[in-house]
Structures are given as structure tokens and as C-alpha cells.
Amino acid sequence: MAIEARQIDQARIEAFMGRVVGDFGSVMSAALVVIGDKLGLYKAMAGAGPLTPAELARRTTTSERYVRDWLVNQAASGYVDYDPTTGQYTLPDEHALALADEDSPAFVAGGFQNLTAIIKAEPRIAEAFRTGGGLPWGEHDPGVFVGTERFFRPGYAANLVAHWIPALDGVEAKLAAGATVADVGCGHGASTIILARAYPRSRFFGFDNHAPSIARARQAAAEGGVAERVVFEVADATDYPGGDYDLIAFFDCFHDLGDPVGAARHAHAALAPDGALLLVEPMAGERVEDNLNPVGRIFSAASVLICTPNALASGASADTALGTIATEERLRAALAVGGFRRFRRATATPFNRVFEVRK
Ligand SMILES: C[S@@+](CC[C@H](N)C(=O)[O-])C[C@H]1O[C@@H](n2cnc3c(N)ncnc32)[C@H](O)[C@@H]1O
């Protein structure tokens, strides 16, 4: 039936258009958030009180002409406040935590860097829809690697030592006493370095098959003063060296792997008999309808644009590629085939599921 011949609900069209206009604004403004982050506009506004465009431009050595319209966009986005009586703009303290303070658990500017870099892969992903092929992690825009670290680090800093490790049976005591830990798919090593700083008696090994990420992780370990106890090596999740690890962790990477069952098998062999596997995965539900919410919207997009393509480029089939919204049941099954018998959800945040897996 032709669309005109059907009953069209005018109010529904208008409601949908309203939603789309909001999405247009979000997409366009994302680049402006990246600009504000990159040029220090948010940092200059943080705690500075009300500023005119000219004052902000002067403080950041940027062009007042651009800053003027950037501020209008930021005010229209609800990111800064505007006072029409003075023509000044203010970054509220709460927003400054999210946009200007890299150490805050609320910091989100790295997320914008990550997401805007990921979407640059759209032409290759569209082509992959036609071919069924993949796109390796390392072929994304380099902003993805830095952005991922800056996106995830605040959550790890807030949760890993305070909540996730204590949620695992007996692991905190082992780490405090001196344990050997492997962080598989460690990227830039944010999680490895946070753990190393918290547990000075333990030794840490970070593995990733993306060589530029390992080079950056080594640099970060030196900057963080933990290079003596942290070794970063280029290695695949299915063949990293060492054994008898007390803890093997997969932070936001198990679902990216080309061979998750092979990675589970290798971890099973490399883990001490009473060792624990920590699996941190994006929040997702068991049913499609459980993902029909703002977080599911983000992670299903990530699955299409980055995680599933990496799995498909690295040997997974359409059936075995887990992707970002892999259900708990699929994760459990992959680990079970790899030899693990115990699997439980230890804790969760709005963005992450945290599993403890044992032999
Ligand atoms: C989403 S990033 C997460 C990085 C890091 N764990 C974090 O949480 O910041 C996924 C990581 O998995 C790595 N990866 C993908 N496939 C891999 C494999 N087969 N072996 C080792 N690392 C892999 C990628 O290079 C990338 O660094």
C-alpha cells in the first residue's frame, strides 16, 4: 500500500521530527565538544565564572569570531549558561567536572573524542554490510585509541579498585599480598596502571595485539611511576606468555575478539588453579527489548561500527562474533566451551556488567 493511502498520524510525524532535530543537534554539536576539549575552552571556563566570548577567546588564544558561535551552540545544548543581560557565559561547576576535569569519574570529553573518531569509519562499515567483512581495530582513526582510553579511564578509576575487585571472591586480599595479573586486550593500559598503583606488591602484565597501543601503554606506565612492576607486550588474546596468573582480566574487549573461545581456552590454561577471570563487558540485556534505552542505543551502535567489525576481521564468523551487546548467556557459553565452569555476575554499573569466572 502506498504510504499516502495509509492513515498518517500528523502528531506522530511531528513528534518524530522533534526527536530527529534533537539528534541533528547532538551529532553536529559533538564536533564542537571535541573542539572545546582540544583547544582548552572548557578548561578555561572551569571555575572562571561568567565570561564574554572575547574574554574566553583571549584566555585560550583562539579566534573570538569562532568562539562567539561556539558559545551559542554550547548554551543551546545546555552545556553552558547564558546571561542575556550581560552577554556572558558560565560553565556550571557540575558540567566542568564532566567536560574539563580528566580525573573526575564524570569526565565525558574523552567519550566525544572516541565517538566522533569511530564514526569516521562509516564508509568502510557500509561496505562491510555488503560484503560481510570486517574492519580491524587498528585501522580506525587514531582518535579511537586515545579516545577509548580517555572514555574508559574515569569509570575504571571510580569503580575498579573501589567496587569491582572487592566484588570478586578473595581477589582483593591476594592482590594486596602480592599476585600476578594479566590484563588482556589492555589497549593503552589504563586499567593495568590503576591496578598497579593500588596494589604495589603485585606484578602486572598487559597484552594487546595492537602495537601502537602497547607503545603508548609503556609510556603511560613510566609516566605513572609503575614501569618496574608492569610489563606491556604485544600479544594476541590466544597466545600471550606466562602462566599461573592469579587474575586474568578482560576489560571491554572479550566481545571484540575474533576467537573468544580460543581466548577462553588460553586463559584457562594460563590461570592458576584457584585463579579468577574478571570479565568487564558493556551493559546489555538478554533480550532485544532490554537494549531499547539510551545505553543500548550507544552500545548497539558501537557494535555495528567497531566491535563486531573487529571480531569479523579477526576470524570470527557471523555466528561466533559476540559484539558489544553480547548477552550474558553468549558470554557464559564461550567461556564454558573454553573450559570455565563457574560464571557469575559479580556487580554492575549503568554502563558495565562485571563477571567473575572460575575453573
Ligand atoms: C575497546 S578496546 C579496550 C581496551 C582496554 N581494555 C580498555 O578498557 O581501555 C579493545 C582492545 O582489544 C584489543 N584486541 C582486539 N582483539 C585482540 C586480540 N585478538 N588479542 C589482543 N587484543 C585484542 C584491541 O587492540 C583494543 O585495544
Side-chain angles (χ1 to χ4, degrees):
M1 196 189 336
I3 211 159
E4 307 89 275
R6 279 188 247 136
Q7 200 72 22
I8 290 295
D9 178 344
Q10 194 59 31
R12 198 168 179 186
I13 298 183
E14 281 165 22
F16 182 62
M17 285 304 147
R19 191 190 164 109
V20 168
V21 170
D23 288 348
F24 279 176
S26 299
V27 172
M28 292 290 280
S29 303
L32 274 68
V33 177
V34 171
I35 288 168
D37 176 41
K38 191 184 276 184
L39 301 182
L41 299 174
Y42 294 120
K43 289 193 171 87
M45 292 187 84
L51 294 174
T52 63
E55 285 163 343
L56 180 57
R58 203 173 318 115
R59 284 173 184 228
T60 52
T61 333
T62 52
S63 157
E64 191 266 338
R65 182 63 196 85
Y66 279 107
V67 169
R68 205 189 306 159
D69 290 8
W70 182 84
L71 280 166
V72 174
N73 165 272
Q74 293 296 292
S77 300
Y79 282 31
V80 305
D81 294 334
Y82 175 59
D83 181 350
T85 61
T86 62
Q88 290 174 311
Y89 297 84
T90 305
L91 181 64
D93 289 343
E94 295 77 10
H95 298 194
L97 286 177
L99 296 164
D101 182 353
E102 308 251 354
D103 293 326
S104 164
F107 185 68
V108 293
F112 282 95
Q113 180 182 16
N114 193 27
L115 304 187
T116 52
I118 287 172
I119 64 177
K120 291 179 186 166
E122 173 273 314
R124 291 191 64 183
I125 300 301
E127 185 54 24
F129 269 68
R130 292 199 182 91
T131 63
L135 176 64
W137 173 263
E139 292 182 23
H140 277 270
D141 181 274
V144 169
F145 317 133
V146 182
T148 297
E149 179 195 353
R150 293 180 76 222
F151 193 15
F152 291 171
R153 194 185 334 102
Y156 297 159
N159 293 302
L160 181 48
V161 172
H163 303 295
W164 296 349
I165 294 293
L168 309 178
D169 191 20
V171 171
E172 189 175 31
K174 271 194 195 170
L175 289 175
T180 308
V181 180
D183 186 355
V184 181
C186 64
H188 284 193
S191 49
T192 336
I193 292 168
I194 287 168
L195 286 172
R197 291 176 74 109
Y199 302 106
R201 293 194 177 167
S202 289
R203 289 185 312 140
F204 296 85
F205 297 85
F207 302 113
D208 200 290
N209 66 356
H210 182 237
S213 286
I214 288 297
R216 171 59 202 146
R218 286 181 181 143
Q219 207 183 357
E223 288 160 9
V226 293
E228 307 263 288
R229 288 180 299 108
V230 185
V231 174
F232 286 110
E233 292 291 346
V234 178
D236 194 88
T238 56
D239 68 3
Y240 51 89
D244 261 0
Y245 291 107
D246 299 295
L247 177 68
I248 297 181
F250 291 84
F251 289 96
D252 217 307
C253 63
F254 191 73
H255 63 269
D256 293 309
L257 300 177
D259 183 8
V261 167
R265 242 180 229 126
H266 187 68
H268 191 273
L271 200 60
D274 60 347
L277 190 147
L278 166 62
L279 183 67
V280 175
E281 282 288 307
M283 179 51 73
E286 296 306 285
R287 304 168 309 165
V288 168
E289 52 269 44
D290 299 332
N291 296 318
L292 305 186
N293 52 58
V295 173
R297 190 182 184 201
I298 297 167
F299 287 146
S300 53
S303 198
V304 170
L305 292 171
I306 190 159
C307 303
T308 302
N310 182 71
L312 292 172
S314 324
S317 69
D319 288 334
T320 61
L322 292 171
T324 320
I325 50 173
T327 61
E328 179 168 333
E329 205 35 57
R330 291 200 71 200
L331 297 165
R332 180 201 300 271
L335 286 149
V337 178
F340 287 96
R341 294 173 53 203
R342 287 179 286 162
F343 180 103
R344 73 175 180 100
R345 188 183 291 219
T347 185
T349 69
F351 295 103
N352 285 109
R353 295 168 290 170
V354 178
F355 301 104
E356 176 176 2
V357 190
R358 301 260 181 179
K359 289 189 178 183

